[in-house]
Amino acid sequence: MNETANRLLEPYFGYGRMRELFCDRGRVAGMLEFEAALARAQARVGLVPAEAAEVIGRHCQAQDMDLDALAQAIVLAGNTAIPLVKMLGRQIAAESPEAERYLHLGATSQDAMDTGLVLQLRRAVDLLEQQLAELGEQLSAQARRHAATVMPGRTWLQHATPVTLGMKLASVLGSVSRHRLRLQEMRHRLLSLQFGGASGTLAALGEQAWPVAEALADELQLSLPEQPWHTQRDRLAELAGWLGSLAGTLGKLGRDFSLLMQTEAGEVFEPAAPGKGGSSTMPHKRNPVGAAVLIHAGTRAPGLVATLLSAMPQEHERSLGLWHAEWDSLPELCCLVSGAIDQASQLAAGLEVDTARMLRNLEQTRGLILAEPVSVELARHLGRQDAHHLLEQCCRRAVEQDRHLGEVLHAEPRVTEHLSGDLIDRLLDPANYTGQAARWVEQACREHEQLQRDMHNG
């Protein structure tokens, strides 16, 4: 076991699948994929003998690289590509000194590192899309299941008018769908070849520069940008901003559900499991440990996004330090958000709902949270201002006399003059005042389903 690895926390924060993509071996594999493709591309245009390209490609195997030796060499080299190319060159030269002459031809270290990163990000984007599709499925199913599950709405942490649990879940689902659309829209810009040579001109390749670039982009199935982007980091910053925004959405989900798990609310709970959410000293505790991961991601992500944004004003044609600041920040951000999506899916899939508690909580204010519909109905007869003022008086009387608002309204002549007893009771029924909540659920679910079809067909 590597004693410096973060083995204690990574399982909790759920980085596993994404961390595999951004491990040291994965970083090396991305750069080697670039080197092999470069040799093939140059062979396609006649710049490199096909035999040499074949030898180079055969040696571009991450499992053959000594990562410990690379780590030590990077300390002096200042980046991962320089010692990697040297190590690869020695392996190739042992078989064919002729082939070694064509390794890394016309490229610079940043070409290998940035394109290698893009290749990792392609797999990361695929994983994120898969995870978001799974989360969307869970949210959609639960939103429909609880489309009519009435609960207190809360504004400024106080009871407002009734909402439904399905509506709350549909709002998250809508945000997830928009994040998926944004990811698809930026995908072409992000998955872009970096190939500029020493200063971005590809001068070392002469007239063959553009044909090689076209062939290389084709080999790697990346878009060919209008020019190299060595120190134009908007592509990576755009992804970072997207990840940060998604972390915010997940953080809100975690925050809301942790509040709903509070003893004073007790309306919605994370799925139970043996030993989950316990306390070291209090046997009764059931802590929102999954929601904590979502809040953790929403808290950490903005700092990592800020690092990527701060690293954008890079000097001239190659940056000193700002480029370096991206190397672990962007992978960490991907891992952070990926882990949070996994936790969100688990939370959504196994959600436990106490509908009886929701109804009891709706009655905590003894009818006060439904003063609005009564006021709206009275306004038809008295006008808005007078109706609002009358309801304020009735609410104050209910609180002072510790009575249900309905009891006060039934006893108030200025109310019963215009509203029947049955109408008052209907107006004070939370199930009759959820407005367009069911529509919001259906729209969010339909949008998700259409997105699923588009992604499957596209």
Side-chain angles (χ1 to χ4, degrees):
M1 175 178 175
N2 181 357
E3 294 299 332
T4 64
N6 201 2
R7 299 291 181 89
L8 293 179
L9 297 182
E10 282 187 8
Y12 176 42
F13 292 127
Y15 297 168
R17 290 188 288 175
M18 189 65 77
R19 187 68 79 191
E20 290 176 7
L21 300 181
F22 286 107
C23 67
D24 290 340
R25 194 75 64 182
R27 190 187 298 265
V28 168
M31 290 187 285
L32 292 176
E33 190 175 349
F34 167 84
E35 296 294 347
L38 177 61
R40 292 196 303 271
Q42 291 172 337
R44 281 171 58 175
V45 302
L47 194 61
V48 168
E51 298 80 6
E54 194 277 329
V55 173
I56 291 171
R58 191 165 61 248
H59 284 276
C60 288
Q61 305 297 322
Q63 65 268 22
D64 295 337
M65 299 298 152
D66 185 341
L67 298 187
D68 290 334
L70 277 177
Q72 292 303 311
I74 289 166
V75 174
L76 297 178
N79 71 50
T80 53
I82 293 172
L84 178 63
V85 171
K86 289 180 178 178
M87 182 179 292
L88 178 61
R90 288 193 296 270
Q91 293 179 5
I92 293 169
E95 177 182 345
S96 171
E98 174 70 11
E100 193 273 336
R101 292 170 46 200
Y102 297 103
L103 174 65
H104 199 64
L105 184 63
T108 190
S109 299
Q110 191 168 357
D111 293 335
M113 291 182 64
D114 278 353
T115 300
L117 172 62
V118 168
L119 295 173
Q120 289 178 286
L121 290 174
R122 176 163 60 193
R123 291 184 281 272
V125 164
D126 288 343
L127 175 56
L128 289 165
E129 167 53 32
Q130 174 192 332
Q131 290 181 282
L132 288 175
E134 293 170 359
L135 175 57
E137 286 289 282
Q138 301 296 344
L139 289 170
S140 179
Q142 294 283 23
R144 280 213 162 102
R145 183 174 296 122
H146 294 288
T149 302
V150 185
M151 64 187 297
R154 292 170 170 94
T155 60
W156 288 44
L157 297 177
Q158 307 293 309
H159 280 205
T161 55
V163 297
T164 68
L165 178 58
M167 170 184 152
K168 289 179 76 72
L169 293 167
S171 73
V172 183
L173 175 60
S175 183
V176 168
S177 294
R178 291 190 296 276
H179 285 305
R180 293 176 67 190
L181 288 170
R182 293 185 190 104
L183 182 60
Q184 290 304 310
E185 198 274 330
M186 80 169 82
R187 188 184 181 98
H188 179 76
R189 289 190 296 274
L190 175 67
L191 303 183
S192 180
L193 176 69
Q194 165 70 301
F195 186 49
S199 296
T201 65
L202 285 177
L205 297 179
E207 294 301 315
Q208 295 281 50
W210 189 249
V212 168
E214 289 180 314
L216 180 54
D218 182 64
E219 287 284 339
L220 294 171
Q221 291 298 290
L222 296 175
S223 64
L224 181 59
E226 69 284 354
Q227 56 188 288
W229 46 276
H230 289 142
T231 48
Q232 296 296 342
R233 314 305 282 179
D234 55 288
R235 290 175 172 84
L236 302 184
E238 183 179 19
L239 175 63
W242 177 85
L243 288 164
S245 179
L246 174 55
T249 292
L250 298 172
K252 173 185 167 45
L253 176 65
R255 182 75 69 187
D256 280 357
F257 279 88
S258 64
L259 291 171
L260 292 173
M261 276 187 71
Q262 280 188 294
T263 305
E264 292 79 2
E267 296 173 359
V268 176
F269 298 88
E270 293 183 359
K276 183 177 181 181
S279 165
S280 64
T281 182
M282 293 174 284
H284 70 282
K285 291 294 292 295
R286 184 175 176 183
N287 293 319
V289 294
V293 174
L294 307 188
I295 297 169
H296 153 265
T299 303
R300 282 195 62 206
L304 293 167
V305 175
T307 297
L308 271 293
L309 295 178
S310 298
M312 286 187 72
Q314 300 193 2
E315 318 89 283
H316 303 304
E317 282 66 55
R318 184 82 78 257
S319 176
L320 174 68
L322 297 178
W323 177 41
H324 297 66
E326 299 171 350
W327 295 352
D328 56 356
S329 298
L330 188 54
E332 186 66 19
L333 190 52
C334 289
C335 292
L336 180 73
V337 174
S338 176
I341 301 172
D342 270 352
Q343 282 282 3
S345 289
Q346 294 174 41
L347 188 156
L351 204 61
E352 297 180 13
V353 180
D354 189 337
T355 55
R357 182 63 178 270
M358 288 176 173
L359 293 175
R360 289 201 299 274
N361 287 345
L362 282 165
E363 280 298 312
Q364 277 190 13
T365 62
R366 306 187 72 186
L368 294 180
I369 68 169
L370 289 157
E372 181 184 74
V374 180
S375 178
V376 170
E377 186 64 30
L378 272 178
R380 302 174 188 272
H381 307 279
L382 304 178
R384 179 185 173 279
Q385 284 286 79
D386 288 345
H388 187 81
H389 180 64
L390 175 56
L391 260 293
E392 280 185 332
Q393 291 178 326
C394 291
C395 289
R396 189 178 306 114
R397 196 181 315 147
V399 172
E400 290 172 352
Q401 298 175 3
D402 192 23
R403 299 164 67 194
H404 194 283
L405 178 61
E407 183 183 348
V408 173
L409 293 174
H410 279 291
E412 173 53 61
R414 289 175 295 173
V415 173
T416 57
E417 179 183 353
H418 304 288
L419 307 183
S420 69
D422 286 345
L423 178 55
I424 291 171
D425 292 341
R426 287 199 302 273
L427 291 172
L428 293 178
D429 183 347
N432 294 330
Y433 202 64
T434 58
Q436 298 297 306
R439 179 186 294 271
W440 307 153
V441 171
E442 190 57 32
Q443 287 184 172
C445 291
R446 281 204 308 266
E447 288 171 1
H448 163 74
E449 289 159 2
Q450 184 60 53
L451 184 57
Q452 291 289 77
R453 288 192 293 270
D454 292 345
M455 296 292 187
H456 178 75
N457 297 328

